[in-house]
Amino acid sequence: MGEICQDVEAIFQLLLSELRLATHASEQTCVAVAERLAKEVLRICAESKRIQASGDTESWGLTLAKHRLQQCVHYFKLGEKGGLTDLASTLSAVVYRYITPPQTPSNYQARLPLIADFLQGFYVEALNAFRRENQMAQTYTPRTQLEIAEYLAFTERYAKRRIPLPGHRTQQLIILRAQTFSQQQPVETPVDIEQATEGMNGEGESAWNAASMQQVREQMVAQEAEPAEDTLRQTVISELVDYLDKHNQSDCADYFVLRLQDLPASEIEAIMGLTARQRDYLQQRFRYHLIRFALSHRWELVHQWLEADLEHNLGLTSQQWQTFLARLTPQQRQLLDLKQQKYPDEKIAQTLGCTLNQLQKLWFKLLELAWEMRNLGNL
């Protein structure tokens, strides 16, 4: 217990010292904020099984404290108005795809007032949580610039808390709140994956050139899709978003959804709080994951949706199919035959004498070749 108290005291002194240097707040306010942050860090270290199992709670405590200090100073430097704007931008990007207007097109302008209403309610919830977790009076309201910065930083962390779900999954708390907020509203359907990727015909992406993206676009924006086709399209969208989330690419998922709304780059940058250069980097990262999803991770789903699965000769015409087969190596031809016979990947890998990872790479290359040949015929 004495060791824990020493750790808390060291963290408190660190926070107090840095708050004095970084802000012009009064001594009383700096002490109060430093005490609350230090207690929060102690609680997390005590409750986290991972931190306790690490055997290095002191290091974890310092890391958590520095992170909270950095957040607090960040919002302090922005000021009350700038801090609120920055927080709203951050949280809006997280919940954007979960807020759907009722009986109206799911475009950017239609969502703005709903997002604003949702966030106002969430700010109240966060303030109540802040009071509760710090054992403060229900009448407490942050008033000084440092107190406001502390509350804004807490609200961002509170929003991003991971809540355990069935199946060993977790989700950010604010997303669960947004889903509840929108659960009675219709699911959005207008999508345009071509514009989401802003054209993927650069070097090294020959399999995903303008023609292939045009095929995807035509499938996505079909106005009179049959119910089964519409369901499949929504499944593709949903699984791509889930894929990005599971690979810790939530910013890519947010970018994808915003691009589906046909927003200009400047508005996306404003919503996500990015510079033009940062958005460009994010776009390149999204392109990479989209290709992995479509040609590797869920190739069956995507190709079925595009009517380019194995049952349809990968979408090739009879002449293209014969040319395609002639260009395959013996190993690729054997792989294709086994896939057509619906052998499991484990059996195919064993037959070909390769690992599952090597098998996936071989199949990826084969699908790339089919995309190239199919799209040559569409040019």
Side-chain angles (χ1 to χ4, degrees), residues 172-234:
Q172 291 181 340
L173 183 143
I174 194 170
I175 291 179
L176 296 178
R177 295 291 188 268
Q179 289 172 329
T180 300
F181 181 83
S182 296
Q183 64 183 350
Q184 300 300 324
Q185 302 174 37
V187 178
E188 63 181 85
T189 55
V191 289
D192 188 335
I193 202 170
E194 179 190 28
Q195 295 195 7
T197 58
E198 297 184 356
M200 296 174 53
N201 52 0
E203 294 183 5
E205 296 176 350
S206 57
W208 280 87
N209 55 29
S212 60
M213 295 313 299
Q214 179 62 25
Q215 182 188 11
V216 175
R217 182 172 191 253
E218 290 171 355
Q219 289 285 345
M220 275 207 168
V221 300
Q223 295 299 313
E224 298 182 358
E226 294 295 327
E229 294 175 351
D230 186 66
T231 299
L232 185 56
R233 182 177 64 227
Q234 292 303 321

Side-chain angles (χ1 to χ4, degrees), residues 125-363:
E125 176 185 342
L127 180 58
N128 288 329
F130 179 80
R131 293 166 176 161
R132 181 175 62 253
E133 295 183 10
N134 287 287
Q135 299 179 337
M136 306 173 77
Q138 289 302 305
T139 56
Y140 169 81
T141 300
R143 300 188 183 281
T144 69
Q145 186 173 340
L146 180 55
E147 289 175 339
I148 292 172
E150 176 193 19
Y151 161 69
L152 295 178
F154 173 86
T155 300
E156 181 180 345
R157 294 194 301 274
Y158 180 72
K160 295 179 179 180
R161 286 182 182 179
R162 306 298 301 192
I163 306 301
L165 300 174
H168 304 287
R169 297 180 299 116
T170 63
Q171 184 57 277
Q172 291 181 340
L173 183 143
I174 194 170
I175 291 179
L176 296 178
R177 295 291 188 268
Q179 289 172 329
T180 300
F181 181 83
S182 296
Q183 64 183 350
Q184 300 300 324
Q185 302 174 37
V187 178
E188 63 181 85
T189 55
V191 289
D192 188 335
I193 202 170
E194 179 190 28
Q195 295 195 7
T197 58
E198 297 184 356
M200 296 174 53
N201 52 0
E203 294 183 5
E205 296 176 350
S206 57
W208 280 87
N209 55 29
S212 60
M213 295 313 299
Q214 179 62 25
Q215 182 188 11
V216 175
R217 182 172 191 253
E218 290 171 355
Q219 289 285 345
M220 275 207 168
V221 300
Q223 295 299 313
E224 298 182 358
E226 294 295 327
E229 294 175 351
D230 186 66
T231 299
L232 185 56
R233 182 177 64 227
Q234 292 303 321
T235 300
V236 172
I237 298 297
S238 176
E239 293 227 3
L240 174 55
V241 171
D242 288 343
Y243 169 85
L244 293 170
D245 283 337
K246 289 176 182 177
H247 285 76
N248 298 318
Q249 302 295 325
S250 59
D251 53 347
C252 285
D254 294 332
Y255 170 79
F256 170 56
V257 173
L258 292 175
R259 284 303 300 150
L260 293 182
Q261 307 310 310
D262 197 22
L263 298 183
S266 59
E267 290 191 9
I268 292 179
E269 291 164 7
I271 292 172
M272 299 190 69
L274 302 173
T275 64
R277 188 176 184 85
Q278 289 172 328
R279 180 191 57 79
D280 184 61
Y281 286 146
L282 178 60
Q283 174 188 322
Q284 297 299 323
R285 182 152 46 90
F286 171 67
R287 288 178 178 178
Y288 168 80
H289 285 285
L290 177 60
I291 293 173
R292 303 306 302 180
F293 172 82
L295 294 185
S296 179
H297 178 72
R298 288 294 272 135
W299 74 268
E300 303 101 322
L301 178 66
V302 175
H303 282 70
Q304 179 188 355
W305 169 52
L306 297 176
E307 295 187 353
D309 52 10
L310 285 172
E311 294 182 0
H312 295 85
N313 290 341
L314 298 178
L316 300 172
T317 65
S318 298
Q319 183 177 354
Q320 288 175 329
W321 180 249
Q322 294 305 316
T323 304
F324 171 72
L325 294 178
R327 292 181 59 180
L328 298 182
T329 66
Q331 185 184 46
Q332 288 176 321
R333 184 61 184 268
Q334 185 179 12
L335 169 58
L336 180 61
D337 290 341
L338 293 171
K339 282 281 190 179
Q340 288 177 317
Q341 296 176 53
K342 299 183 179 180
Y343 277 79
D345 284 352
E346 292 79 4
K347 180 64 175 178
I348 297 176
Q350 182 180 4
T351 302
L352 297 180
C354 63
T355 65
L356 284 174
N357 188 47
Q358 291 171 331
L359 174 64
Q360 290 174 356
K361 291 180 179 179
L362 287 171
W363 186 242

